[in-house]
């Protein structure tokens, strides 16, 4: 059995969210094998995530094109 931590944090911009994530990861609070991703259609359907939600997931669990660092720091709403 695994546990998930849901930690909703609000940032004015995706850039601020990424800066917070990088700081937390560099300090060891977030594991090195995770990254920040945009939600996919399944996330939207199951959890009501929108384009303004960013998700922390293990890198091996998501396709690289959904990663925030893939060049789409900010996406338009649906």
């Amino acid at each position: 059995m695994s546990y998930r931590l849901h930690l909703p944090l609000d940032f004015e911009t995706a850039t601020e969210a990424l800066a917070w994530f990088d700081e937390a990861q560099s300090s060891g609070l977030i594991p090195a094998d995770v990254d920040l991703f945009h939600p996919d259609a399944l996330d939207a359907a199951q959890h009501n995530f929108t384009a303004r939600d960013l998700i922390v997931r293990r890198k091996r669990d998501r396709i690289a094109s959904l990663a925030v660092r893939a060049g789409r720091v900010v996406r338009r709403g649906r």
Side-chain angles (χ1 to χ4, degrees), residues 3 10 12 17-18 23 34 39 46-47 49 52 54 64 68 74:
Y3 292 87
D10 292 322
E12 290 295 319
L18 186 58
E23 178 69 27
V34 302
Q46 288 183 338
H47 307 291
F49 289 155
R52 294 189 54 85
L54 301 176
V68 170
V74 177

Side-chain angles (χ1 to χ4, degrees), residues 19-78:
W20 177 89
F21 177 84
D22 288 342
E23 178 69 27
Q25 197 168 44
S26 68
S27 67
L29 295 174
I30 296 175
D33 68 336
V34 302
D35 210 344
L36 207 52
F37 293 91
H38 295 284
D40 61 13
L42 188 58
D43 295 318
Q46 288 183 338
H47 307 291
N48 295 322
F49 289 155
T50 70
R52 294 189 54 85
D53 292 304
L54 301 176
I55 305 165
V56 175
R57 292 278 196 255
R58 299 219 183 271
K59 293 175 184 176
R60 68 179 181 269
D61 294 344
R62 293 286 162 143
I63 58 172
S65 63
L66 289 175
V68 170
R69 295 173 210 290
R72 295 184 316 217
V73 174
V74 177
R75 290 191 337 184
R76 295 186 181 170
R78 28 180 202 170

Side-chain angles (χ1 to χ4, degrees), residues 4-17:
R4 292 183 184 206
L5 175 64
H6 297 270
L7 184 64
L9 299 170
D10 292 322
F11 299 93
E12 290 295 319
T13 66
T15 302
E16 289 177 15

